Amino acid sequence: MQPFSSVTAIGVPIDIPNCDTDQIIPARFLRRAKDDPKYATFLLHDLRFNSDGSETDFIYNRTPYRDSHIVVADINWGCGSSRETAVNALVANQIRAVVAPSFGDIHYNNCIRNGVLPVRLPTTSCDQLRKQLHAAPGARMTIDLETQSVTGPDQTLYPFTIDVFDRMRLLEGLDDISITQQHAKTIESFESIYRDQNAWVFDP
Amino acid sequence: MSTPKTLFQKIFDRHVVLERDSGDALLYIDRHLIHDLHHRAFATLKANGQTIRRPELLFGTPDHSVPTTAQTLVDIPQGEMRETVSGLEAAAKEMGFNHFDLTDDRHGIVHVVGPEQGITLPGLVLVCGDSHTSTHGALGCIAFGIGATEIQHVLATQTLWQRRPKNMRINIDGALGPSVTAKDLALLTIAEISAAGGAGFAIEYTGSTIRALSVEGRMTLCNMTIEAGARSGIIAPDEKTIAYVKDRPFSPKGDRWSEACAYWKTLFSDTDASFDHEVLIDATTLEPRVTWGNSPQYSGSIGDTLPNPANEPNLIKRSEMEAALTYMGLQAGMAISDIKVDKVFIGSCTNSRIEDLRAAAAIAKGRQAVVPTLVVPGSGLVKKQAETEGLDQIFKASGMEWREPGCSMCVAINGDTLAPEERSASTSNRNFRGRQGKGSRTHLVSPAMAAGAAIMGHFTDIRSFN
């Protein structure tokens, strides 16, 4: 997993409240392999492409937003389906961070486990950031996980909080299995006691 | 005196293998369910040099990619659908986990199969790579959807890292009126707390309305908890729950049963347990509901007219409502009962159990559907039961199609879809843009309301049907 420390990049504002993971990647792409050369086109596909395959004027299709690595979204980004392919589609487009007032819980976890930083900021801060990114296409912003801060296009500093364990995973690019395997003995002893006390779970 | 705990906390604590200073806990997982869309998980596991730690706790069944016309693997058109279904089957054979294939009556939608087989039991922690895993909480267990990376973790270690969620209690009191169902209750609850209201929470449902619901009704309510933003919904097990799980193929027997029951009787929130948020809902005035927007939070009673976004003070909501009316091809102020539908879908992990089919058949009996209608049972066993009761004959006599089990038009990647701008009355769980096919327009309703729409060609108050 690619570690995350700090990213300075163009931000793209996506003004869709409750942007569910069906919007982020439509279900008909769920069976595609992660290394499908077309994967990047699956991101927000039905907002970005007409039925004949031509591009719509959706903001992420426009220059310079197309080169952004940061999404600034609205409430409940990534709600709905648990599909991790939604994060795969972000990664395929080199999106490194999503800033939003709130996230779907499962999508949030999926982001953390793929090196994409989900940043929760107050609704007013997200509104302000999106407004600035609309006003100045191509404006750059910085997200620093070390200092836990977002720097807006106008240099306004927005501090954010994140679970310390999630922060460590991202900073070090650690995957959960390697963390957990350090506790193999603890799991074994838990399992053996739990099994003795709850035989009905294992041997109904 | 020990600290009072919520039901969720009691089960959670029992499964904590270790806890970090940050409050993140490594949880032991009792049951892991898997469906066809995750068939690649096993190749990844092998490539990483790992094995399934507890194959006996893993249960697989194909559902998302199964055409509802297919009875065997060769009935599935060649290509990614068949590869997905056969991929899971091959992995089960090779790696030795439980799997119900298409020819096995026990196969079906994973969230119907789990409770039906007694795989889902009170007091467990159950996960599946599907957001509607919240369904299983109806039996008094912690159940939630996970992503593909988390699936790898559970396969390899039988554990999962979890932050403790906040606890929300939704207390629902009052008797449901005639033809008002758990589905209507779910839609009301989501409208009350919003599609994001449950984010970061585990929800417990309590109250007289919940106690009066059947176990299947409770599954419908817990199923849609994710549409309110919470990954899990839970209902304390009671006599109905215990009667439901007794003598199921995978439920405990003999002494094991007695041991399990003794534990299950401790599963309730302590009187003084503290909840981070409490919601009170009165069910007595609830009427059959219909969604009209592109988030399940936008619904109204069958007698309502569509709201005017201009009257909505919240600007985010206003813009979302305007966009939804445009996408859905609807106008503010129109009567919900004037909305005409092109197709009807009765099925999905929300509403494909035997009680759902009985409710739909009661409306369909002796009447003719005027729009194409798909009835898709949740499992091979639900299908068999419905056929024993003659429900299939009622649907067929009404001109409805009686299909094989699967996710069908809820996920719309198995051949059952809507065309662009086609409008459905659907008993599924999501009315998102494009959910039932690109450009599709979905209205969520209960099974009886869906059958009513099939008969009338538009939404209708089924309470007026004798």
Side-chain angles (χ1 to χ4, degrees):
Chain A
M1 188 173 104
Q2 191 182 358
F4 189 108
S5 56
S6 171
V7 167
T8 298
I10 295 171
V12 58
I14 297 184
D15 306 324
I16 304 173
N18 298 305
C19 186
D20 56 77
T21 52
D22 274 88
Q23 307 314 304
I24 300 174
I25 184 169
R28 61 185 183 281
F29 302 122
L30 296 188
R31 286 180 291 242
R32 300 297 181 84
K34 222 164 143 177
D35 56 4
D36 189 314
K38 286 186 137 179
Y39 218 98
T41 66
F42 302 159
L43 179 68
L44 298 161
H45 185 279
D46 291 352
L47 294 162
R48 291 169 57 206
F49 298 97
N50 296 307
S51 297
D52 63 3
S54 61
E55 288 194 0
T56 67
D57 69 347
F58 187 74
I59 191 159
Y60 189 58
N61 286 339
R62 292 181 226 152
T63 311
Y65 294 111
R66 188 65 192 87
D67 299 322
S68 59
H69 298 298
I70 297 168
V71 169
V72 183
D74 207 330
I75 55 158
N76 211 18
W77 168 267
C79 62
S81 158
S82 57
R83 59 191 68 170
E84 194 159 316
T85 45
V87 186
N88 298 345
L90 291 170
V91 171
N93 285 278
Q94 286 130 37
I95 300 291
R96 298 300 322 278
V98 180
V99 182
S102 54
F103 291 83
D105 284 347
I106 306 175
H107 182 70
Y108 186 95
N109 283 349
N110 289 341
C111 283
I112 298 280
R113 283 159 179 77
N114 287 278
V116 174
L117 171 61
V119 179
R120 288 191 188 103
L121 284 185
T123 305
T124 48
S125 308
C126 292
D127 287 351
Q128 197 174 327
L129 282 168
R130 288 202 312 278
K131 214 173 271 176
Q132 289 175 12
L133 295 172
H134 277 295
R140 296 165 81 82
M141 46 192 288
T142 296
I143 301 183
D144 192 322
L145 182 56
E146 297 274 5
T147 60
Q148 295 184 209
S149 64
V150 174
T151 308
D154 65 350
Q155 301 306 307
T156 303
L157 206 67
Y158 305 88
F160 65 88
T161 58
I162 183 170
D163 178 89
V164 289
F165 190 32
D166 287 345
R167 181 171 175 272
M168 180 198 85
R169 282 173 169 122
L170 285 165
L171 284 174
E172 297 178 24
L174 288 175
D175 77 86
D176 280 13
I177 295 181
S178 59
I179 298 170
T180 305
Q181 279 168 345
Q182 297 164 9
H183 303 290
K185 283 204 175 122
T186 314
I187 297 173
E188 245 161 67
S189 67
F190 175 92
E191 195 176 46
S192 120
I193 296 166
Y194 180 75
R195 215 185 161 103
D196 284 347
Q197 292 174 347
N198 300 279
W200 62 272
V201 173
F202 297 86
D203 181 20
Chain B
M1 272 284 287
S2 56
T3 323
K5 289 180 183 179
T6 66
L7 167 59
F8 185 94
Q9 287 163 344
K10 282 182 182 175
I11 301 173
F12 192 100
D13 288 351
R14 207 175 157 103
H15 289 82
V16 173
V17 175
L18 63 98
E19 197 154 0
R20 301 174 68 95
D21 296 339
S22 60
D24 294 271
L26 188 65
L27 276 192
Y28 194 78
I29 304 300
D30 298 310
R31 297 285 186 271
H32 183 190
L33 310 183
I34 196 158
H35 58 78
D36 52 283
L37 286 185
H38 292 293
H39 73 105
R40 285 202 182 88
F42 303 98
T44 309
L45 195 74
K46 267 167 72 177
N48 294 338
Q50 290 149 351
T51 54
I52 305 176
R53 184 183 174 92
R54 291 279 163 241
E56 69 276 21
L57 303 181
L58 176 64
F59 297 82
T61 188
D63 54 11
H64 285 65
S65 302
V66 179
T68 54
T69 47
Q71 292 184 320
T72 65
L73 198 57
V74 293
D75 296 338
I76 306 178
Q78 273 185 333
E80 60 174 19
M81 267 192 252
R82 195 197 289 187
E83 281 163 23
T84 304
V85 174
S86 66
L88 181 67
E89 195 173 322
K93 274 192 194 124
E94 186 191 331
M95 303 179 97
F97 60 89
N98 307 280
H99 179 264
F100 309 130
D101 69 31
L102 288 187
T103 61
D104 186 328
D105 275 341
R106 298 174 295 176
H107 91 281
I109 306 174
V110 69
H111 308 309
V112 174
V113 169
E116 190 172 72
Q117 288 301 315
I119 296 163
T120 309
L121 295 167
L124 300 180
V125 174
L126 178 152
V127 296
C128 174
D130 189 276
S131 62
H132 291 108
T133 307
S134 59
T135 310
H136 307 260
L139 293 173
C141 58
I142 294 179
F144 54 91
I146 57 177
T149 305
E150 291 176 310
I151 289 175
Q152 293 292 326
H153 192 276
V154 177
L155 289 174
T157 70
Q158 203 58 34
T159 64
L160 197 61
W161 288 101
Q162 287 295 300
R163 254 182 312 277
R164 282 174 187 275
K166 292 179 283 182
N167 285 262
M168 183 190 302
R169 175 160 57 195
I170 300 183
N171 191 77
I172 311 178
D173 277 323
L176 295 178
S179 302
V180 179
T181 67
K183 180 62 163 284
D184 305 298
L185 206 48
L187 294 176
L188 176 69
T189 306
I190 300 160
E192 291 274 327
I193 72 169
S194 91
F201 287 93
I203 293 178
E204 180 179 352
Y205 296 100
T206 61
S208 64
T209 318
I210 304 302
R211 298 268 72 91
L213 282 180
S214 69
V215 172
E216 292 194 0
R218 294 174 188 180
M219 287 184 212
T220 300
L221 180 62
C222 287
N223 171 278
M224 291 199 69
T225 304
I226 184 68
E227 311 314 331
R231 281 199 302 167
S232 75
I234 192 168
I235 294 173
D238 57 10
E239 305 74 42
K240 281 186 192 175
T241 320
I242 291 178
Y244 179 93
V245 298
K246 196 172 192 321
D247 298 326
R248 302 254 163 197
F250 290 89
S251 64
K253 310 285 184 303
D255 288 349
R256 299 278 189 259
W257 173 256
S258 315
E259 290 162 27
C261 284
Y263 165 48
W264 296 342
K265 294 211 164 87
T266 69
L267 294 178
F268 52 85
S269 285
D270 294 328
T271 318
D272 298 328
S274 97
F275 285 84
D276 303 281
H277 189 58
E278 302 240 22
V279 177
L280 297 177
I281 292 178
D282 172 17
T284 52
T285 55
L286 179 61
E287 299 187 88
R289 291 182 81 83
V290 180
T291 70
W292 52 265
N294 296 121
S295 159
Q297 71 183 357
Y298 295 113
S299 65
S301 300
I302 179 63
D304 289 352
T305 54
L306 298 182
N308 188 341
N311 300 331
E312 172 58 53
N314 179 323
L315 293 181
I316 294 177
K317 263 188 137 175
R318 187 188 297 178
S319 70
E320 196 179 23
M321 288 164 73
E322 282 165 354
L325 288 176
T326 305
Y327 177 85
M328 295 293 287
L330 300 168
Q331 292 82 42
M334 78 183 284
I336 287 179
S337 57
D338 283 341
I339 301 172
K340 293 193 172 79
V341 302
D342 302 304
K343 273 188 184 158
V344 173
F345 169 57
I346 299 170
S348 88
C349 58
T350 312
N351 280 130
S352 64
R353 299 176 182 84
I354 191 68
E355 290 176 12
D356 300 315
L357 301 183
R358 286 177 190 148
I363 296 291
K365 192 172 186 177
R367 299 188 174 97
Q368 283 301 307
V370 296
V371 293
T373 300
L374 279 187
V375 187
V376 184
S379 70
L381 291 172
V382 170
K383 181 169 188 263
K384 253 185 146 172
Q385 176 66 28
E387 289 172 353
T388 305
E389 296 180 20
L391 305 183
D392 60 322
Q393 295 304 324
I394 294 175
F395 293 127
K396 287 181 197 165
S398 297
M400 300 176 177
E401 289 191 57
W402 177 243
R403 294 288 186 89
E404 299 296 325
C407 295
S408 184
M409 215 195 280
C410 178
V411 70
I413 54 169
N414 41 53
D416 297 340
T417 59
L418 294 179
E421 300 193 358
E422 258 190 336
R423 184 183 305 283
S424 73
S426 178
T427 66
S428 53
N429 39 59
R430 292 192 170 131
N431 52 3
F432 298 160
R433 287 171 175 232
R435 174 74 182 186
Q436 296 190 294
K438 192 173 179 180
S440 58
R441 295 166 168 171
T442 305
H443 297 269
L444 305 175
V445 287
S446 71
M449 283 290 285
I455 304 301
M456 302 301 291
H458 57 83
F459 292 105
T460 187
D461 193 339
I462 46 162
R463 292 171 298 184
S464 64
F465 282 47
N466 43 35

